[in-house]
Amino acid sequence: GNKSQDSGIAEMEELPVPHNIKISNITCDSFKISWEMDSKSKDRITHYFIDLNKKENKNSNKFKHKDVPTKLVAKAVPLPMTVRGHWFLSPRTEYTVAVQTASKQVDGDYVVSEWSEIIEFCTADYSKVHLTQLLEKAEVIAGRMLKLSVFYRNQHKEYFDYTREHHGNAMQPSVKDNSGSHGSPISGKLEGIFFSCNTEFNTGKPPQDSPYGRYRFEIAAEKLFNPNTNLYFGDFYCMYTAYHYVILVIAPVGSPGDEFCKQRLPQLNIKDNKFLTCDEEGGVMVYHHAQDVILEVIYTDPVDLSLGTVAEITGHQLMSLSTANAKKDPSCKTCNISVGR
């Protein structure tokens, strides 16, 4: 007689193993996944198991607790299937993913297929929608506006000497480092020159201290920021401190930097925003900056040193204020949005 009739148990056919996995529609905190599978026993599939892991960084601490459950059990829906919200997916992060098909039994246990091959993919940067959420959070704490007249940039003497000798006196844009929000679309991509514009409350002038070197280039505000430039919001972050940073980008209209920002960053009205304004009063340009955030301004074109002055500062070098490659505090309620990390 037939074996299954003798034992009273039908032999289960093996479930099809997913293959040719495709990842699409990747955002900073979601993706779509699809795959192919043999039609044999396909109708028995009730669930998919998806195993998602951050790609191991060789230097990462092996004892760190895993911050997310890696296995997602999903009902067998038509493919492609959207994965979002089941984990905190971080933006701009490499992940590995593998899939099995499963059949839920009467007793609640699952019969599963073999695992598929492992696929790698990387999540995307924050979109303009996410940056607009950050912008709105930054506006809440920007504070009242104070007057300013100059932008300034602190560096070591060698930097200015090198600029004169090797770049014909023009400071050159360089690629922005990875400080700030992990999902920031300007990190590692936008080229520009960093300037500060914060003033001391009592003097209205730039502070005498700086973390970035004892020499300071100062330039009249209107030479960098005027009706021929566009202003964009780039980021909002803190580094486990009480004060917050806002990154703004000033780009000459139609420049490569302007084209880059137009596609990726929320644009601000130069006369009317909560961070940095430029307006005409009685034929003179008047400038204001937000009092309660530290503004980091990126100018996207070269700047000739002859347009301003270079002089030694009298204050200290406060290295603790440096933001080079600084990591954003992911737990701060003020400057984080709910997507990604």
Side-chain angles (χ1 to χ4, degrees), residues 23-32 121-124:
I23 304 282
S24 61
N25 293 64
I26 300 171
T27 72
C28 68
D29 65 345
S30 71
F31 61 91
K32 280 190 173 171
F121 71 100
C122 187
T123 47

Side-chain angles (χ1 to χ4, degrees), residues 246-279:
V246 168
I247 298 180
L248 302 175
V249 184
I250 297 176
V253 174
S255 66
D258 191 33
E259 293 308 314
F260 177 95
C261 294
K262 220 178 221 87
Q263 293 164 35
R264 295 170 180 83
L265 305 181
Q267 188 170 345
L268 301 174
N269 178 342
I270 66 169
K271 291 183 176 184
D272 181 23
N273 68 78
K274 293 273 198 288
F275 310 108
L276 181 66
T277 59
C278 149
D279 209 354

Side-chain angles (χ1 to χ4, degrees), residues 7-137:
S7 65
I9 298 168
E11 279 188 333
M12 294 289 276
E13 276 189 68
E14 282 194 12
L15 289 169
V17 181
H19 61 272
N20 195 17
I21 295 173
K22 294 262 191 295
I23 304 282
S24 61
N25 293 64
I26 300 171
T27 72
C28 68
D29 65 345
S30 71
F31 61 91
K32 280 190 173 171
I33 185 168
S34 64
W35 58 81
E36 293 165 20
M37 46 196 167
D38 299 333
S39 52
K40 207 172 67 159
S41 313
K42 209 171 170 179
D43 52 353
R44 292 208 352 265
I45 298 170
T46 61
H47 291 77
Y48 305 135
F49 287 2
I50 298 177
D51 189 33
L52 182 77
N53 290 286
K54 267 187 192 170
K55 217 170 131 183
E56 269 304 323
N57 173 354
K58 298 288 174 285
N59 316 329
S60 69
N61 179 354
K62 288 279 183 285
F63 301 104
K64 207 170 59 181
H65 72 92
K66 284 272 181 279
D67 54 352
V68 290
T70 60
K71 199 164 298 166
L72 166 70
V73 180
K75 281 216 161 65
V77 294
L79 300 174
M81 177 174 92
T82 299
V83 177
R84 78 150 59 83
H86 303 285
W87 295 276
F88 283 111
L89 278 169
S90 301
R92 204 188 269 212
T93 304
E94 292 186 334
Y95 288 93
T96 60
V97 66
V99 198
Q100 2 173 238
T101 57
S103 174
K104 194 170 189 175
Q105 307 301 291
V106 184
D107 62 5
D109 275 351
Y110 290 95
V111 174
V112 293
S113 72
E114 299 283 310
W115 281 107
S116 69
E117 78 268 35
I118 294 172
I119 297 291
E120 297 182 359
F121 71 100
C122 187
T123 47
D125 295 333
Y126 283 157
S127 67
K128 264 194 198 177
V129 172
H130 301 121
L131 285 170
T132 301
Q133 291 173 17
L134 264 187
L135 162 63
E136 287 164 357
K137 296 199 91 164

